[in-house]
Amino acid sequence: GEDVEQSLFLSVREGDSSVINCTYTDSSSTYLYWYKQEPGAGLQLLTYIFSNMDMKQDQRLTVLLNKKDKHLSLRIADTQTGDSAIYFCAEVDSSYKLIFGSGTRLLVRP
Amino acid sequence: GAVVSQHPSWVICKSGTSVKIECRSLDFQATTMFWYRQFPKQSLMLMATSNEGSKATYEQGVEKDKFLINHASLTLSTLTVTSAHPEDSSFYICSAIVAKNIQYFGAGTRLSVL
């Protein structure tokens, strides 16, 4: 079945760039997503990319998609302490169900 | 953007009681909503797909009689945890399909069963 994998933890210094990586298995996914979850809260859709795109940029966020390697990354430029959260990568199946990775906990050090 | 409202945000109940959680789409109609469960420091686990006007579709291993889902209108889905026990304590999150392949999530409900 489908599987999405992420590294569990990333620590960066405030002002640096953060890169969160994700691999997925379902090559038929039409969209791939990045969600952010702050403690005790629901998921906030940060950005998504259509599978025929290589890159998408939205302000401080840059998504790169390597469809051949089934690799997705999220780059956060000028990382701030408010960016500390858990970031989930997800793909969607044919029933519109989201398949989530385990989440990457981003810690931004002052 | 689209807003999904979930209520209550936190509920504490005694073992054996039933708890109802509401998920509302505030500015759009949602024919399909999803219910997830999240354990501490873990990812989201899909429990069921809620379809307006029809029965919910449950994922394997989820007890349909334990977790009752009703989607009677285009803006409201409810999840009722029946005869709750301490092992049902968890964070429950709903989502709604806003547009093709775009889902927005509620803020979640923390259930604590004593």
Side-chain angles (χ1 to χ4, degrees):
Chain A
E2 301 96 342
D3 192 25
V4 179
E5 294 191 355
Q6 300 177 238
S7 53
L8 293 180
F9 185 72
L10 176 65
S11 177
V12 300
R13 193 175 298 176
E14 188 176 16
D16 288 349
S17 292
S18 306
V19 179
I20 303 172
N21 294 300
C22 169
T23 57
Y24 61 97
T25 56
D26 187 0
S27 58
S28 65
S29 286
T30 52
Y31 289 89
L32 293 140
Y33 307 84
W34 284 103
Y35 283 89
K36 176 184 180 182
Q37 186 179 34
E38 298 188 43
L43 271 66
Q44 174 193 353
L45 178 62
L46 282 179
T47 187
Y48 60 93
I49 188 167
F50 190 49
S51 59
N52 69 353
M53 296 170 65
D54 298 324
M55 186 187 86
K56 180 179 180 181
Q57 186 161 1
D58 183 4
Q59 299 183 337
R60 291 192 297 124
L61 305 178
T62 303
V63 179
L64 295 178
L65 175 60
N66 182 327
K67 202 171 180 183
K68 174 176 171 287
D69 295 337
K70 297 179 190 169
H71 182 266
L72 183 74
S73 68
L74 174 69
R75 178 177 180 269
I76 305 173
D78 187 25
T79 314
Q80 303 296 307
T81 54
D83 295 324
S84 292
I86 300 175
Y87 290 81
F88 289 97
C89 166
E91 61 177 349
V92 63
D93 73 7
S94 56
S95 303
Y96 302 109
K97 296 178 186 176
L98 289 174
I99 298 140
F100 288 94
S102 56
T104 299
R105 184 176 297 271
L106 174 64
L107 175 66
V108 183
R109 309 185 308 273
Chain B
V3 177
V4 176
S5 173
Q6 196 171 333
H7 178 81
S9 56
W10 194 4
V11 57
I12 302 173
C13 69
K14 291 183 180 179
S15 187
T17 59
S18 294
V19 175
K20 181 185 283 188
I21 303 170
E22 294 185 347
C23 182
R24 292 182 186 273
S25 57
L26 293 188
D27 51 1
F28 65 99
Q29 293 181 331
T31 55
T32 303
M33 292 184 176
F34 298 93
W35 287 97
Y36 297 83
R37 184 173 180 176
Q38 186 180 32
F39 291 103
K41 297 187 178 180
Q42 292 191 24
S43 189
L44 280 74
M45 181 190 80
L46 179 65
M47 298 175 67
T49 304
S50 173
N51 301 297
E52 187 268 336
S54 64
K55 290 183 179 180
T57 306
Y58 291 82
E59 295 298 302
Q60 194 172 4
V62 178
E63 299 175 59
K64 61 178 71 175
D65 295 330
K66 174 75 171 176
F67 299 100
L68 299 179
I69 291 172
N70 183 278
H71 195 154
S73 80
L74 285 169
T75 58
L76 174 64
S77 174
T78 61
L79 169 68
T80 301
V81 183
T82 61
S83 186
H85 290 283
E87 59 266 28
D88 299 322
S89 298
S90 192
F91 193 57
Y92 293 87
I93 310 176
C94 69
S95 72
I97 293 180
V98 175
K100 190 177 178 182
N101 286 327
I102 300 298
Q103 286 186 38
Y104 282 92
F105 284 76
T109 297
R110 183 162 305 282
L111 171 63
S112 297
V113 184
L114 305 177

